Structures are given as C-alpha cells and as structure tokens.
Amino acid sequence: CVLILPVGPVPQYAIAARIINDLGIDCSHLVTFNMDEYADENGITAPADWEGSFATAMKANFFGRLDKKLRPKEENIHFPNSDNINDYSQMIADKGGADCCYGGIGWCGHIAFWEADLGHEFGGDLEAYKIAGPRCVELTPMTIMQNALHSFGGDWSWVPPKANTIGPA
C-alpha cells in the first residue's frame, strides 16, 4: 500500500494510530511518501531530527504512536529532500504509484507546498502544470504565517523560507 501523506493537520494521525494499534493492523507493507520537508534559503533540507522538521512531526504524531511490531519499515518512509527531490516522482512510480493521496489546501491555495502563484509560470497550459514534478519552492508569506501559527507557536521567524515538495503530477 503506497500512500502520499501531508504532515498538517495532524490530529487524524493519532486517531489512525489508535485504530491500527487496537485492531493490530500490520503496516510492514505500508510505503509512505510525505508531501513536503522544509528547506533553508539555499534549498538544503532541514535535518530529519530537527524539532521543526516534518519527519520529526510524523514520527511524533503517527509512526511513533504505532506499536513497534506494527510500524512500516523505516526504509519505506520517505520525505522529499535535497538528495532525492529530482527522483521523488520516480521513487513513487517505482513502487507502483500511489494507492491513495491524502491532503488539504493551505490558506493561500497551496496543495502540498505547491504554492498557487507557481501556476503563473505555466502560462495557462494546464497540461504542463499537471505533469510538473517535485521541486524546492519558496514559501509565500501567508504559508509562513499559517505554519508559524500551527507549528511554531506563532513565531514566523522559525519557519524555513523554502520547502522541497511534491508536484501536481
């Protein structure tokens, strides 16, 4: 089972973990591709162990809540980063594609961190937009404020300026 997952919002992950644990669902077959990971002004991905990283958030809010014997294999948990961003779509394809993609829309209209203003670079070519792949993007001020409120106690200065993110494809 291949899933594409967002980090936020996170309340559903505690519920999912409780259900998985209560029912004893073995997730060793689960392969996850998270949509995003923060990056600095140079596009270098935040370390997975940084307290503000999406990897840390997912471990705390989902993977770490699962009984150890039920968790997905560590090698099956993926985040877009500086090293794999150019291959991220192919990594998903190599696993047979996504069986399900769960996500939401940010305040500014972004899906994952594919900010709405990125659409302008495609000049109205919807087909070109739909096949666009993962990349490092600059976060809009509205996204920075949204994430500051939800993840950094309101301190926007802690929110990295960029993120590696999955594309519309």
Side-chain angles (χ1 to χ4, degrees):
C1 180
V2 178
L3 303 179
I4 296 174
L5 301 172
V7 170
V10 296
Q12 74 279 358
Y13 290 119
I15 296 166
R18 181 178 41 80
I19 292 168
I20 290 166
N21 290 335
D22 288 350
L23 297 176
I25 299 170
D26 179 4
C27 293
S28 63
H29 67 288
L30 180 61
V31 178
T32 65
F33 290 91
N34 272 79
M35 291 182 170
D36 312 294
E37 185 57 271
Y38 285 122
D40 67 15
E41 64 278 358
N42 298 313
I44 306 301
T45 307
D49 61 352
W50 174 55
E51 64 182 300
S53 76
F54 288 148
T56 294
M58 285 300 287
K59 286 177 185 168
N61 293 293
F62 184 53
F63 301 119
R65 291 176 183 251
L66 298 174
D67 289 341
K68 286 184 181 184
K69 65 184 182 295
L70 301 176
R71 291 180 188 163
K73 297 173 186 170
E74 194 67 34
E75 64 267 19
N76 287 343
I77 300 171
H78 307 281
F79 291 84
N81 61 50
S82 308
D83 296 327
N84 70 17
I85 193 67
N86 294 326
D87 301 316
Y88 209 62
S89 287
Q90 188 60 51
M91 291 167 61
I92 297 168
D94 289 348
K95 293 294 183 182
D99 294 303
C100 184
C101 178
Y102 174 77
I105 300 172
W107 292 350
C108 70
H110 70 237
I111 298 173
F113 276 141
W114 196 267
E115 302 283 16
D117 64 310
L118 292 174
H120 295 293
E121 74 182 66
F122 296 94
D125 185 346
L126 183 58
E127 293 309 309
Y129 177 83
K130 288 174 15 181
I131 63 170
R135 65 163 85 169
C136 186
V137 299
E138 187 168 336
L139 302 180
T140 65
M142 186 177 285
T143 293
I144 289 171
M145 294 303 151
Q146 177 183 2
N147 285 19
L149 180 63
H150 293 294
S151 301
F152 295 93
D155 186 351
W156 63 268
S157 69
W158 273 79
V159 181
K162 295 184 178 184
N164 286 299
T165 191
I166 197 166

